[in-house]
Amino acid sequence: MVCQECGKRPATLHFTKIVNGEKTELHICEACAREKGEMIPGTASGFSIHNLLSGLLDFEPSGVGAKPEVIRCEKCGLTYAQFSKMGKFGCSHCYKEFSERLDPLLKRVHGNTVHVGKVPKRAGGHLKTKREIDRLKKEMQARIDREDFETAAQLRDRIRELEKEITG
Amino acid sequence: MNKQPFKEALSPWMRRPAPESDVVLSSRVRIARNLRQYPFPMFANSAQSAKVMEQLLSVAESGRLNGVDSVQAIRLSDLTELEKLVLVEKHLISPMLANESRNAALILSRNEDVSIMINEEDHLRIQCLYPGFQIPEAWDFSSKIDDLFEESVDYAFDEKRGYLTSCPTNVGTGIRASVMMHLPALVLTGQINRILTAVTQVGLAVRGLYGEGSEATGNLFQISNQITLGQSEQEIIDNLHSVAKQIIGHEKAARSKLMTESRTRIEDRIKRSFGILSYATIIDSKEASQRLSDIRLGVHLGLLPQVSLETINELTVSTQPGFLQQAFGETLSPEQRDVARAQMIRTKLASRA
């Protein structure tokens, strides 16, 4: 059967619409369906990243004698199985709950598992200070290598101050 | 409510002169954020999502954002279907926010360069749009707004994973930076596939207004970052910036090659399209966007002095279904729409000629 819209491509989608008791049948190809804005069941937004993602999620960490256990987020109730089906988390706590299983997934999606970008002022806790300390330590080492001991000593003091902030 | 955004096809920010605007239509940065104490929108019940909406809208209503730009808060439940469609066509909200979200709201700046979606896939999606090639500027601006929100709401943030988002593809920085590029010469000279393949290999995604096969309708391509975790915002922005810059260079080279080697043919193509748009009485959206792409190129090559870039930008938005229905004040069948579209284009081009 050829598409009744363009008359060229084979019709791959067959709809029966019933609106107010009036029945219409539609046999069209995917390209025309998209053009007409017809809903294509099962591919609501075409092939999306989420389809791909649930494929990635749907795997067990190998090696471990895979015994199916239900991991459930205690806060929102989402299970890992549901998560891997939808590719969406239920709440921020899910990240903690599914943490072990997330590393391989994030590695596949992003090539990384740890955030290195912006840190919020309030919610960031000590992370910003920790990052600053790391940065200062590197800087201090560089100064030492250049035998600029005076600046290095200043940096050392600053690092001590910051470390006190965190522990204190 | 200020109804201006629903009437004008062209957002005020689009009128500003901008760098590389002959190739890059716009630069956009979107930041995804969530509130710590509530489930993500898809899993929140109505009471929870209503609280999220009120809490985030109160940030706008408190005037906290006014230092950046004057804003208005819009609850989507107050809008008609047509008004929502118009906002989607102007890329101010997503189809998801318009159709699938509960307790959805929008905070929109007067210039329409800042549109903040509430209760879309994430609680908060801050979007900044700049004309032309200005990705770092868009990032700085959206980051500033992000800071203003953080002063009064608690973000979901994890030391290891960064900003937590509903979808694992956004976790970490939560940013998606993109440029909308018009690449007619690369399409005409058949170089586009090679370039786009290369782009996807460096962790960027190409999408946008696709037509059939590889030829995008209207030769418009959106290029954006794919990775959000393990790279800093600066690295993400720099990466996109430098790749986009190379593409701009290739497009410009291809344009001048077309002008030196096949000037008559390219001029013929552009002026034919101008002729068709000036006189056609029926035109579908696909043909319209292809012809508009031709005359956009014509304007940049100096072949159509009678048309302004602003006219084309306006027509690109106002020839879409929502705007046509709004302009002609009725529900249009697809056939009527094609007639209305042709009329809209004819009138607009004639008034500027």
Side-chain angles (χ1 to χ4, degrees), chain A residues 9 50 78 86-92 95-96 99 103 110 112-115 117-118 120-123 130, chain B residues 40 43 143 146-147 150 153-154 157-163 165-169 172 212 228-230 233:
Chain A
R9 288 174 290 258
H50 300 300
L78 188 79
M86 290 183 306
K88 298 278 166 68
F89 293 102
C91 69
S92 51
Y95 279 91
K96 280 241 154 24
S99 185
D103 278 356
H110 298 285
N112 293 292
T113 57
V114 179
H115 177 60
K118 186 172 174 174
K121 283 194 193 80
R122 294 185 322 115
K130 283 182 199 160
Chain B
F40 297 143
F43 291 86
S143 180
D146 176 37
D147 292 342
E150 211 245 330
V153 298
D154 290 324
F157 180 85
D158 178 81
E159 291 205 1
K160 188 175 176 198
R161 309 292 191 199
Y163 292 94
T165 54
S166 160
C167 181
T169 53
E212 240 172 280
T228 57
L229 185 68
E233 290 82 358

